[in-house]
Amino acid sequence: MTNCSTQDVDTVTQKLDLVFYVPVLVFGLALNITALVVFCQLLRKWTEPSIYMTNLALMDLLLLLQLPFKMHAAYHKWEEDKKLLCSFLESLYFVAMYGSIYTIACIALDRYITINHPFCAKQVRSRKNALIICVFIWFFCIGATSPIYTFREETAGNFTCFHGFSAKGWSTAIIVCLEVFGFLLPATVLVLCSVQSIQTIKASKSTSDKKQAGVRIIYSSLAAFLVPFTPCHIAIFLQYLVRNGIISDCRQQKNIALFIQVSMNIANVTCCLDALCYYFIAKEVRSTKDSLRLSISRGRTTSSSDV
C-alpha cells in the first residue's frame, strides 16, 4: 500500500459517525428492548419465529452497546494497555453483525420450510431446534471472530481502536472467508428461500390481502438484509484491494476509505430496521401463516386427487 494520508477522510467520517450513531443508538435501544419485552413477556405462545426474532434483537443490542466505544474511539486514541479491551470490543461488534446476518438467514429458511413444505415442517421445526440453532450461531460467530485478537498492530504508543488492522487482518484467506461465509452464503440462502416462498404464496388459494401481506413480510426481510449489508461487504473487498497494493491511486484510496466508513455506518442501521420489520410484522406473520399453510395444503391435496 502506498503512503496516502486519509486524515481529511477521517475528519469527515468523525462527523458522519455522530449523525449515524446517535439516532441509531437511541432508536435502536428503544425498539429492540421493546421487541424483547413483547417476545418474552407479552406473546402468549413461544414459537419458532419468536425465538429467532428474540435472538436477532439480542444480537442487535450487542452491536448497539459497541457504538459508544466506537464514537469515543473516533475522537480519542486509546492507551497501549487497552489493546486487549479494544480487540474484545471489536470481536463483539463482529459477533453481533454476523450473528444478525445468520439469524436473518435462518428466519428466511424457517419461513420457506413453513410455506413450501408444510407437512415436513411439523417434523423439522420445533422450539427446541430453533433454540439449538440460535445457540450454535452464537458459538460459531464467537469462534469465527476470535482471530481478531491477532489483528492489532504490534506497535508501541497510543492507537485508534476499531481502526488500523494489521496486514494479517487483510490477508486473502481472511477476506475470502469473510465475504463467502459471512455474506454471500447467508445472502444466497435468504434470496433463494425468499423467491421460492413468494412464488408459493402467489400460487396459493389465499385471499389477495393475505397474499400481499405474506409478500410484504418477505420483501421487508430482504430489504433489512440487503440494504445494510451489501454496501459494507463491497467496501471491505475494495479496501482489501487497497491494503494489498492492487489499488494504488491515492484519490481512489480516499474514496474507498470514505465508502467503507459510510457503508459500515449504514450496516449499523440494521439494528433499527430489524426491530421495525420483525416487531411490527410479528402479528401479521402469525395471522397469515396458518391460513397460507392450510390453503397450500388444500391445493396440493386437490392436485393429488386429480392425478
Side-chain angles (χ1 to χ4, degrees), residues 139-180:
F139 279 101
F140 173 76
C141 291
I142 291 172
T145 57
S146 59
I148 287 178
Y149 289 91
T150 66
F151 291 171
R152 184 58 48 189
E153 294 278 9
E154 295 296 332
T155 55
N158 296 346
F159 66 99
T160 303
C161 190
F162 292 98
H163 294 279
F165 282 165
S166 66
K168 185 177 180 180
W170 293 99
S171 66
T172 301
I174 292 294
I175 298 304
V176 168
C177 289
L178 180 71
E179 296 285 351
V180 173

Side-chain angles (χ1 to χ4, degrees), residues 78-263:
W78 290 25
E79 297 177 359
E80 185 179 2
D81 59 356
K82 291 185 172 61
K83 284 186 177 181
L84 182 60
L85 173 61
C86 173
S87 296
F88 175 69
L89 295 173
E90 289 170 340
S91 67
L92 290 182
Y93 178 81
F94 287 105
V95 165
M97 175 179 289
Y98 290 99
S100 297
I101 287 176
Y102 270 88
T103 302
I104 294 173
C106 287
I107 291 173
L109 183 60
D110 181 74
R111 183 192 298 117
Y112 164 78
I113 294 174
T114 303
I115 294 175
N116 291 66
H117 304 282
F119 299 110
C120 180
K122 294 181 179 180
Q123 300 176 352
V124 176
R125 297 175 72 248
S126 70
R127 287 173 291 180
K128 180 181 178 181
N129 289 342
L131 185 60
I132 291 173
I133 290 172
C134 290
V135 171
F136 174 79
I137 290 173
W138 280 92
F139 279 101
F140 173 76
C141 291
I142 291 172
T145 57
S146 59
I148 287 178
Y149 289 91
T150 66
F151 291 171
R152 184 58 48 189
E153 294 278 9
E154 295 296 332
T155 55
N158 296 346
F159 66 99
T160 303
C161 190
F162 292 98
H163 294 279
F165 282 165
S166 66
K168 185 177 180 180
W170 293 99
S171 66
T172 301
I174 292 294
I175 298 304
V176 168
C177 289
L178 180 71
E179 296 285 351
V180 173
F181 297 104
F183 178 69
L184 292 178
L185 179 60
T188 301
V189 171
L190 176 67
V191 172
L192 291 178
C193 289
S194 298
V195 169
Q196 294 186 49
S197 296
I198 290 173
Q199 291 175 347
T200 303
I201 290 173
K202 290 183 176 180
S204 68
K205 295 184 178 181
S206 300
T207 63
S208 178
D209 290 341
K210 290 181 178 178
K211 287 183 180 181
Q212 292 178 2
V215 171
R216 282 199 303 269
I217 291 169
I218 297 174
Y219 281 137
S220 297
S221 62
L222 276 172
F225 183 99
L226 296 177
V227 172
F229 293 125
T230 302
C232 72
H233 285 88
I234 294 174
I236 288 172
F237 176 70
L238 293 175
Q239 185 67 6
Y240 158 77
L241 298 180
V242 171
R243 293 298 297 264
N244 286 273
I246 299 174
I247 296 178
S248 58
D249 181 73
C250 186
R251 183 176 180 180
Q252 290 181 349
Q253 290 183 13
K254 290 183 177 181
N255 289 336
I256 292 171
L258 179 60
F259 179 39
I260 194 169
Q261 292 300 322
V262 173
S263 63

